[in-house]
């Protein structure tokens, strides 16, 4: 305890010494990274007032919690937003806050030049929308693991907002009125309604859903981006990460036919990446991924498809069938297909066979046995010899008269490709 007190006193003394030596004008960035339980509110307020008096353009405050505990019940220090409220000459351009509490309100001022606002692990006590309405120059907004917000409504007044990230928030709805948004990221536990109004300039969307569904509902996991968030159809690049859980998989001999089409076709989509983490005891009896064969029809201009798969299984065998080609829309623009975690499970085989049959202009098809999802590989996709995958690729190449390349392990230098000449 004595050493902690000495460390705390030395840190505070050092910061105070630096502040005293500063002229107090023209400060570009003020950054503090320290343990929250070693910080007192009056010291923090004094330092923030110094940053405000010096008209710091960038303020970065990260108060690490004691231990690993971070959550809404954790008592954190309050960050005084009012200290930045210079009405005559607003100065703050970037504000990055981590592990503090804030009390935003509609009468707050001094943020008309703010371009970047990052709120990480923040206790929000008050009106976040009121703060956002007073940030007309905002271009970059991140709200991650914050408490105190149930619905996130981004107003149309933020017409300069380009980049938005919402992650690990216990919210029920996201609604955006942001005409110039170009990049959007969402990471959440459930498929909540996400409504994007007039985001016609959206270039890239990254969506992560950690959901648990019964087998008959698995199409909701893959299709939520098409049915639940139709306004992202303006985007050219879409990256989706989803978890699919089933304890009692039963193979469906027929892909469920969609009864309704999405509200919008993904006419601009050129690059689609799906990362799917499967939790199943029997991957050869699990057909949920085949739903993609129908959803791909809603992206008629698609040029590149990446599908990264990871199955949490202790042991499994490859499937020895030829692969049924399910009814699938013809793709006249799809040129590149890359599948990692390909272990010749039945659904993988049949989905790829459907793509090979309907991909009129396919130029490059690559399958990789290795998993390309950043999770522990201790129990991922075990028990399938590589030579069995290569044998399947050779037979399938001949069957569809299209080149299939089996990617090597990263440590291996020689390339191995199974190919046939086009007829």
């Amino acid at each position: 305890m004595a050493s902690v007190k000495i460390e705390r006193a030395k840190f505070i003394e050092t910061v105070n010494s630096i502040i005293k030596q500063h002229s107090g004008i023209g400060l570009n960035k003020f950054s503090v990274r320290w343990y929250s339980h070693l910080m007192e509110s009056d010291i923090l307020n004094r330092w923030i007032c110094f940053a405000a008096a010096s008209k710091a353009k960038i303020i970065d405050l990260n108060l690490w919690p004691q231990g690993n505990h971070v959550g809404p019940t954790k008592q954190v220090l309050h960050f005084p937003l009012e200290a930045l409220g210079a009405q005559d000459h607003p100065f703050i351009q970037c504000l990055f806050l981590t592990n503090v509490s804030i009390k935003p309100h509609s009468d707050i001022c001094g943020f008309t030049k703010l371009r970047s606002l990052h709120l990480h692990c923040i206790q929000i006590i008050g009106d976040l929308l009121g703060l956002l309405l007073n940030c007309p120059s905002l271009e970059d907004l991140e709200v991650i693991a914050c408490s105190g917000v149930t619905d996130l409504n981004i107003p149309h007044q933020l017409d300069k907002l380009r980049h938005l990230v919402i992650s690990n928030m216990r919210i029920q709805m996201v609604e955006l009125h942001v005409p110039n948004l170009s990049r959007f990221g969402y990471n959440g536990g459930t498929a909540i309604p996400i409504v994007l109004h007039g985001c016609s300039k959206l270039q890239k969307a990254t969506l992560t859903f950690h959901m648990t569904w019964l087998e008959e509902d698995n199409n909701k996991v893959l299709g939520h981006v098409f049915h639940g968030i139709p306004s992202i159809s303006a985007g050219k690049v879409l990256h989706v990460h989803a978890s699919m859980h089933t304890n009692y998989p039963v193979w469906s001999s027929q892909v469920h036919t969609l009864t309704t089409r999405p509200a919008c076709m993904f006419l601009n989509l050129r690059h689609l990446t799906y990362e799917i983490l499967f939790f199943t005891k029997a991957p050869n009896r699990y057909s949920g991924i085949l739903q993609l064969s129908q959803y791909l029809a809603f992206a008629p201009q698609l040029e590149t498809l990446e599908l990264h798969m990871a199955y949490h299984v202790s042991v499994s065998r490859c499937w020895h069938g030829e692969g049924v080609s399910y009814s699938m829309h013809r793709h006249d623009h799809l040129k590149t297909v890359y599948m990692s975690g390909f272990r010749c499970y039945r659904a993988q085989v049949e989905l790829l066979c459907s793509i090979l049959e309907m991909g009129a202009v396919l130029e490059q098809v690559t399958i990789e046995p290795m998993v390309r999802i950043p999770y522990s590989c201790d129990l991922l996709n075990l028990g399938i010899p590589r030579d069995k995958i290569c044998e399947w690729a050779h037979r399938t190449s001949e069957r569809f008269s299209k080149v299939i390349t089996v990617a090597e392990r990263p440590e291996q230098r020689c390339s191995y490709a199974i190919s046939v000449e086009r007829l």
Side-chain angles (χ1 to χ4, degrees), residues 49-324:
C49 288
F50 161 77
S54 303
K55 298 190 182 304
K57 296 179 181 179
I58 304 171
I59 294 181
D60 183 358
L61 179 64
N62 187 340
L63 299 185
W64 306 327
Q66 184 175 10
N68 295 321
H69 177 72
V70 178
T73 59
K74 176 74 175 178
Q75 185 175 0
V76 296
L77 294 177
H78 174 68
F79 181 88
L81 291 173
E82 291 79 6
L84 309 180
Q87 299 186 44
D88 49 353
H89 297 291
F91 54 88
I92 185 71
Q93 296 181 14
C94 302
L95 180 60
F96 308 129
L97 300 179
T98 303
N99 292 319
V100 295
S101 70
I102 60 173
K103 295 182 179 180
H105 53 82
S106 58
D107 295 329
I108 204 160
C109 58
F111 294 91
T112 56
K113 288 189 176 181
L114 188 68
R115 297 199 312 265
S116 295
L117 176 62
H118 291 189
L119 303 177
H120 296 184
C121 301
I122 301 297
Q123 290 185 9
I124 300 174
I125 307 169
D127 182 11
L128 178 61
L129 177 59
L131 171 63
L132 296 178
L133 285 172
N134 286 281
C135 303
S137 301
L138 197 63
E139 299 175 2
D140 176 25
L141 174 62
E142 291 187 7
V143 186
I144 299 177
C146 298
S147 63
V149 178
T150 55
D151 295 327
L152 194 56
N153 189 322
I154 309 299
H156 63 83
Q157 287 91 337
L158 299 184
D159 56 359
K160 294 184 180 180
L161 189 64
R162 303 289 188 275
H163 177 240
L164 173 64
V165 173
I166 302 168
S167 178
N168 296 323
M169 297 283 293
R170 295 183 179 180
I171 54 179
Q172 301 175 357
M173 172 178 283
V174 174
E175 188 168 1
L176 311 179
H177 304 262
V178 188
N180 293 312
L181 189 69
S182 61
R183 289 178 178 264
F184 173 64
Y186 173 81
N187 184 336
T190 58
I192 65 170
I194 299 178
V195 183
L196 286 73
H197 298 282
C199 298
S200 59
K201 296 184 179 180
L202 189 66
Q203 293 290 317
K204 182 177 181 179
T206 301
L207 308 172
T208 301
F209 302 106
H210 306 286
M211 299 180 290
T212 301
W213 300 99
L214 298 175
E215 170 68 20
E216 58 269 24
D217 290 331
N218 273 327
N219 62 297
K220 294 181 180 179
V221 179
L222 299 181
H224 180 66
V225 294
F226 296 95
H227 285 283
I229 321 173
S231 296
I232 63 173
S233 59
K236 294 182 179 180
V237 179
L238 177 60
H239 191 146
V240 183
H241 177 94
S243 300
M244 302 176 72
H245 299 242
T246 178
N247 292 322
Y248 303 99
V250 177
W251 183 264
S252 175
S253 59
Q254 193 172 23
V255 175
H256 174 68
T257 302
L258 301 179
T259 56
T260 59
R261 291 177 59 180
C264 299
M265 296 287 284
F266 283 61
L267 296 177
N268 296 325
L269 189 61
R270 300 295 189 270
H271 192 139
L272 174 62
T273 300
Y274 255 103
E275 294 181 353
I276 308 177
L277 187 61
F278 299 94
F279 294 86
T280 177
K281 296 180 179 179
N284 283 315
R285 298 175 59 197
Y286 184 79
S287 61
I289 195 175
L290 287 174
Q291 200 65 46
L292 271 179
S293 63
Q294 291 201 37
Y295 284 117
L296 291 178
F298 305 132
Q301 303 296 321
L302 190 66
E303 298 175 357
T304 300
L305 172 65
E306 293 186 41
L307 184 58
H308 303 285
M309 299 163 284
Y311 288 77
H312 271 273
V313 293
S314 56
V315 121
S316 188
R317 299 178 179 178
C318 61
W319 185 63
H320 296 287
E322 289 299 318
V324 175

